[in-house]
Structure formats: C-alpha cells, structure tokens
Amino acid sequence: MINNAISYGGEPPAVTITVTGGNQPSLSVTDRGPGIPPEMQERIFERFVRGATDSRTPGSGLGLYLSRRLAELQRGSIDLVRTAPGEGSTFTFRLPAAGAG
C-alpha cells in the first residue's frame, strides 16, 4: 500500500500513514494522486488491474491483489475506503486484535 501510494501519489508524492490500535488495529495510507475512477473501484484488487493508465508509472497490477491476499491469510482485510478524482485515495489494512478468534 505504501509503495502504491508513493508510485501514484502525485508529483512530488505526498503520502500520509495513520496507525490505530484498539480492538481492530489498522494502518491507513492516503495519497494525493489521481484517485481511482468509479469504473475501476470494484476491480482494483484483481490481478493485473492497475488504477492509473499512465504507462510511465511502473507496475504489473499485482501489488494490491497480493496485499489483500496476504491480509486475508492473517484474518485481516485491505479496503479502499476513500477516493476522489484528482484528490487521491485512502486504503486501510486491518488485523484482528491479538488473541481474537
């Protein structure tokens, strides 16, 4: 998530990372990039799907797919929680509390 935020975070990249504890620890990553178009928001976690169409941005479209799969293997989740055209996106990684389940 952090690498994606840097890659797609605009020029110069502006990335904010927020960590919270409590019953469901989470890490949120916010960038100020182009945002994810509405037609891509359902597909952004699929293999080989890229949010940006700019061919100058490197990537294969596997980062968010693999991140979500790894989170799920830990009984966690990664979600797109906010995006707006030209205003960036926020993704949040959540894990179950220690000792849960």
Side-chain angles (χ1 to χ4, degrees), residues 4-96:
N4 273 8
I6 292 168
S7 295
Y8 296 105
E11 286 296 326
V15 177
T16 302
I17 299 169
T18 306
V19 177
T20 60
N23 290 337
Q24 191 174 34
S26 68
L27 178 136
S28 293
V29 179
T30 301
D31 65 52
R32 286 192 260 158
I36 299 168
E39 66 274 10
M40 297 299 297
Q41 292 175 19
E42 292 293 320
R43 299 189 56 229
I44 198 68
F45 291 99
E46 294 176 12
R47 284 184 289 184
F48 307 115
V49 172
R50 297 183 63 204
T53 57
D54 183 352
S55 62
R56 294 174 293 169
T57 303
S60 61
L62 287 173
L64 288 174
Y65 168 78
L66 292 173
S67 295
R68 180 175 262 183
R69 290 295 301 137
L70 288 170
E72 290 170 347
L73 289 171
Q74 299 174 67
R75 295 180 296 116
S77 64
I78 294 180
D79 298 294
L80 172 63
V81 295
R82 184 197 66 79
T83 189
E87 296 181 22
S89 302
T90 299
F91 290 85
T92 297
F93 168 55
R94 292 180 183 86
L95 287 174

